[in-house]
Amino acid sequence: MSSWNVSDRALDVSSCAQEPIRTPGAIQPYGLILVLDPQTLVVKERAIAHADLLDTFGDPLGHPIDAVLGGALARCRPALEAIKPGTTQFLGAHSIGRHGGHHTLAHRLGEDLIVELEAPVPGEPGSLEDLYPAIRRFMEAIERVETTRELCELASVEIRELTGFDRTLVYQFDKDWNGAVVAEDGNGVLPSYLDLRFPESDIPAQARALYRQNRVRLIADSDYQPVPLVRSAEHAGAAPTDLSPAMLRSVSPVHLQYMRNMGTGASMSVSLLREGELWGLISCHNAQPKRVPYHVRTACEFIGQILSLQISLKERAAGVEARIARRAIQVRLLGRMAGDTDFMAALGRDQLNLLALTHSTGAAIVHRGECLLHGDCPSRAQVMELVQWLSVQQHEGDLYCTERLPQLWKPAESFADVASGVLAISISQIHDSFVLWFRPEVVRTVRWGGDPRKEETGLPLSPRTSFEGWKETVQLQSLPWDDVDRDAALELRTAIVDIVLRKAEEMAALNEQLLRSNKELEAFSYSVSHDLRAPFRHIVGYSELLGSSAGERLNESEKRFLATIVESAQSAGTLVDDLLSFSQMGRSTMGQISMDMTALVEDVRHKLDMEYAGRSIRWQVPHLPRVQADPGMLRLVWQNLLSNAIKFTRDSAEPTIEVGHQRGDSEDVFYVKDNGCGFDMRYVDKLFGVFQRLHHADEYEGTGIGLANVHRIVTRHGGRTWAEGQLGEGATFFFTIPFVTGDNA
């Protein structure tokens, strides 16, 4: 939009964000601007408010700076030649005929050199030194205030006293660029805006960018008539001139209408920056038009810079104190976690510090499918549903944070009273593992300066006309999370991940050590058992030869001694054979083929006939499915299980052995059930261990390795083993073969 060409049409702010406010093509009528070629210092564009200056000195277009305005700027030539791009320089006051001394500034911007001459204000201070007492008073006063709000209140009083405006307020932006009036000083001519909020659309992004670039802006009269820039013919086709650094730059007609709707005839703003970013504004309003002299504006800018530094210092100090406090809490939590094998459970055992870390009222730890709740939280089912939702949300890094969860996820409305706000960190890249903190709904009333809602009327949008206090009740929102909360959560996540990685490395090292030890033990057992087989056979053989050759000369005691030697050697030989078989199970290669399980069971049963010769056993063997497995290994499984059933039904009146099968979702389940002596389920965990026996060797023979072999073989096939039993009633031994098997040794 052009600032001087809008009087006969309705203002439409729908495209305000794209309005060329840096290149308005006009100035405010309180002085003049000359745009020079920085190489030749020849005037290529000008805007002059008073026509009699043209009558008196002629049109400066096309003339060097020395020759225009009666040579008033001739002594500025060296300074203009030396000015660097992107800088502004004050050139002093220069008298232009009867129009008096004009404050002169030069701005070097790109290929343009802008010389700005501002007309004097009657009664203005002669220099900045005249205003130093007010600046010193402010600097002394800020040493006695403690909070940011007190700083802003002090600045509003000092700025209004310096400028004489009817109302001075300090306006702070939130994270969404809505503004709130946090301090105010006035004389009652204009209404109070203290504690009112104003929507982001009142100061769009490009206007905020200009506030960041220029710390002071003055609009002396909301009804001023813009003075257009006029170009020389040779520059007629050039791009519009950027006047953003110039105080006299004309402003948007939308903003002028906004001022009139607000009831202000003049306004001035001083930008407040924190670490280079716009924190807020000191905004001054007057019911009537009002010009503020250059030196007064400079003093206000100086006070604004001091206030900006103090705000940054106090907020940084408060942030440092908060971070130190959170770090102390984190150290206590880490101390608990680092010294506990279950570090996530340890984190939950210090509920007070867990909640204090982010100033929350509830927390949940979701890890490995478990959900631990602390404080005021949604139910476990609701938290797990929330975790599923969080796992598919797009968020930056490993943190998700909102104070408006019910507005983003409808199911959260049911537990808004405890969790309208959620701060969550993901602690695993693979699993849905989270630590979540919750804040409850805080119903509060926000006072806006007019209704911030946009009405859909179908008409062009125009500057709002109402600035009366408009109350909005905010619901389904918690108190917002700040940077300290988010950083504390992220630091905890880093610490948790470090602990997880360290424990994973420790477990990997331990597993590697155990694997090496197991292989060494297997090699040792194989070597020992293999080497011992022959000596035990020799003992049995020579003992039997001795009994045959010297049998008549031995008495009964000596014969009993010799029989005991043979029996012990045979038992030891059997143990060695079983050990050799067990060690071979871990070393041999599996060859999996499709095999008939029914035929295998029948074959094993027939080969065990000698073990129950003379006994009547009722066998129940149904048709069994084919499986993919190693036939030699699986034969040993059935041999051990059936042999055990035969052995432990020895004292049963009507021994029954049942072989059965069940079909699972991903595996075949086989079992051997007997009605023998059974076992006590308290000792079921011992059954599949090496050398673990639940009966004395005098009662039932055996080495205690058979079921360990069964477990190893089934595990190598990717299956499981377990048992069920009851003393005096029998036992059932189960094993599974997955549909798709694999060597898991």
Side-chain angles (χ1 to χ4, degrees), residues 141-205:
I142 62 175
E143 297 178 1
R144 299 190 294 270
V145 300
E146 297 181 356
T147 67
T148 299
R149 193 175 188 104
E150 290 173 336
L151 274 175
C152 294
E153 290 170 351
L154 179 63
S156 65
V157 171
E158 291 296 335
I159 293 289
R160 200 178 78 80
E161 187 170 332
L162 269 173
T163 60
F165 276 96
D166 292 327
R167 179 181 62 207
T168 299
L169 52 84
V170 179
Y171 182 91
Q172 181 183 357
F173 294 109
D174 66 13
K175 63 182 179 63
D176 297 319
W177 296 108
N178 300 310
V181 179
V182 297
E184 182 183 78
D185 186 61
N187 57 12
V189 173
L190 293 174
S192 173
Y193 284 173
L194 185 61
D195 293 328
L196 290 185
R197 293 170 63 86
F198 295 85
E200 177 272 341
S201 57
D202 279 12
I203 305 178

Side-chain angles (χ1 to χ4, degrees), residues 175-176 326 358-360 386 389-391 393-409 419-426 434-439 478-490:
K175 63 182 179 63
D176 297 319
R326 306 294 179 91
T358 59
H359 286 184
S360 306
L386 172 60
W389 178 77
L390 285 174
S391 64
Q393 297 306 299
Q394 295 294 327
H395 49 86
E396 185 176 349
D398 298 293
L399 180 141
Y400 182 86
C401 174
T402 181
E403 64 268 20
R404 303 189 302 269
L405 182 61
Q407 299 175 27
L408 303 175
W409 186 51
S420 283
V422 62
L423 173 61
I425 53 172
S426 170
F434 288 85
V435 179
L436 307 97
W437 290 271
F438 305 111
R439 284 181 178 173
S478 71
L479 295 177
W481 309 93
D482 60 23
D483 289 341
V484 177
D485 299 322
R486 289 187 286 269
D487 290 347
L490 283 173

